[in-house]
Amino acid sequence: MRKTLIALMFATALPTVAMAMPEGPGPMGGPESRMMGGPGHGEHGPRGKGGPFSQLDLSKEQREQIRKLIKPDQQKKYDEIVKKQAERRAEWKEFQAWKAQQAQKAQ
């Protein structure tokens, strides 16, 4: 019953979607435009241009200082994550040992 209802809803919605589809290549371009050198999958513009500070008027030294400030913050977060992972592993080993003891007591 559910499969039939879903199929019926899909069949009734399909013509509506087809009628609402615009004619022409659309905003993303059609397959013809990709073959003819238009924008396609994976072509997002030049690499390395932009970024979070691209619109700021910063000198080269200021950009380097920002990068240096960001790196220690990322290192701190990484160290915290590694510490939490080590704690979880130790807790898991402790649990496995406890579980093995409980199994031995049950026998």
Side-chain angles (χ1 to χ4, degrees), residues 62-74:
Q62 289 172 327
R63 291 183 192 275
E64 289 175 8
Q65 288 175 351
I66 289 174
R67 286 190 193 110
K68 287 179 184 177
L69 289 174
I70 290 175
K71 285 185 181 181
D73 187 40
Q74 290 176 342

Side-chain angles (χ1 to χ4, degrees), residues 13-34:
L14 192 59
T16 306
V17 173
M19 293 296 288
M21 189 170 169
E23 293 184 24
M28 299 298 287
E32 302 85 22
S33 65
R34 284 190 207 115

Side-chain angles (χ1 to χ4, degrees), residues 8-89:
L8 181 63
M9 291 173 67
F10 181 74
T12 56
L14 192 59
T16 306
V17 173
M19 293 296 288
M21 189 170 169
E23 293 184 24
M28 299 298 287
E32 302 85 22
S33 65
R34 284 190 207 115
M35 287 185 221
M36 303 304 275
H41 181 69
E43 298 174 15
H44 299 288
R47 299 270 181 205
K49 303 289 183 192
F53 304 110
S54 64
Q55 295 179 356
L56 298 177
D57 186 24
L58 300 174
S59 67
K60 194 171 190 176
E61 294 83 22
Q62 289 172 327
R63 291 183 192 275
E64 289 175 8
Q65 288 175 351
I66 289 174
R67 286 190 193 110
K68 287 179 184 177
L69 289 174
I70 290 175
K71 285 185 181 181
D73 187 40
Q74 290 176 342
Q75 185 64 41
K76 289 177 187 175
K77 288 181 182 179
Y78 175 77
D79 291 338
E80 289 175 10
I81 291 170
V82 169
K83 183 180 175 184
K84 286 181 183 178
Q85 288 176 343
E87 289 174 0
R88 288 182 180 163
R89 284 189 189 107

